[in-house]
Amino acid sequence: MNLKKYKSAICIVAAVGLLAAAAFCGYHIYHHYAQVDEQTEAFEELAEIVDNALDEEEIPEDTPVSEGEDILAKYRELYLQNEDMVGWISIADTTINYPVMQTKNSI
């Protein structure tokens, strides 16, 4: 083989490698944004559960779920789904509106 064929083969291998790298990166970028959308939707559903909790029941907002628990009644549904939930953080005029989680086995 002459030098021209080697250069041609190297260019083809490099082009295939670049296309594979671009496809790999594109997939991971798409996957990342799909997960962000999924998490945003899940947090919106959680916020809706909290907002609707008092509409369904006539329990005062500041009534604990049970004695010895520091979870308010409006968070009961979420607490029953995951007992690591200890509260909710929401800041006006921002997108911050999330549950606060804490394990009992803190390090």
Side-chain angles (χ1 to χ4, degrees), residues 61-82:
E61 186 172 319
D62 58 351
T63 304
V65 171
S66 64
E67 287 210 21
E69 298 292 341
D70 294 333
I71 304 299
L72 301 179
K74 71 180 193 174
Y75 304 118
R76 177 184 333 168
E77 184 67 31
L78 297 178
Y79 179 75
L80 293 175
Q81 290 179 18
N82 188 339

Side-chain angles (χ1 to χ4, degrees), residues 45-59:
E45 289 174 9
L46 292 174
E48 189 174 314
I49 289 171
V50 170
D51 289 342
N52 293 334
L54 291 178
D55 294 341
E56 296 174 3
E57 300 177 20
E58 296 297 325
I59 301 171

Side-chain angles (χ1 to χ4, degrees), residues 7-70:
K7 284 183 180 180
S8 173
I10 289 173
C11 286
I12 291 173
V13 169
V16 169
L18 288 173
L19 286 173
F24 179 79
C25 291
Y27 169 76
H28 281 285
I29 290 169
Y30 169 79
H31 184 67
H32 168 75
Y33 284 108
Q35 282 184 327
V36 168
D37 289 344
E38 186 177 307
Q39 290 174 355
T40 300
E41 185 178 317
F43 282 125
E44 287 173 355
E45 289 174 9
L46 292 174
E48 189 174 314
I49 289 171
V50 170
D51 289 342
N52 293 334
L54 291 178
D55 294 341
E56 296 174 3
E57 300 177 20
E58 296 297 325
I59 301 171
E61 186 172 319
D62 58 351
T63 304
V65 171
S66 64
E67 287 210 21
E69 298 292 341
D70 294 333

Side-chain angles (χ1 to χ4, degrees), residues 75 88-100:
Y75 304 118
W88 195 273
I89 185 167
S90 177
I91 300 175
D93 300 325
T94 68
T95 59
I96 297 174
N97 191 20
Y98 303 111
V100 177

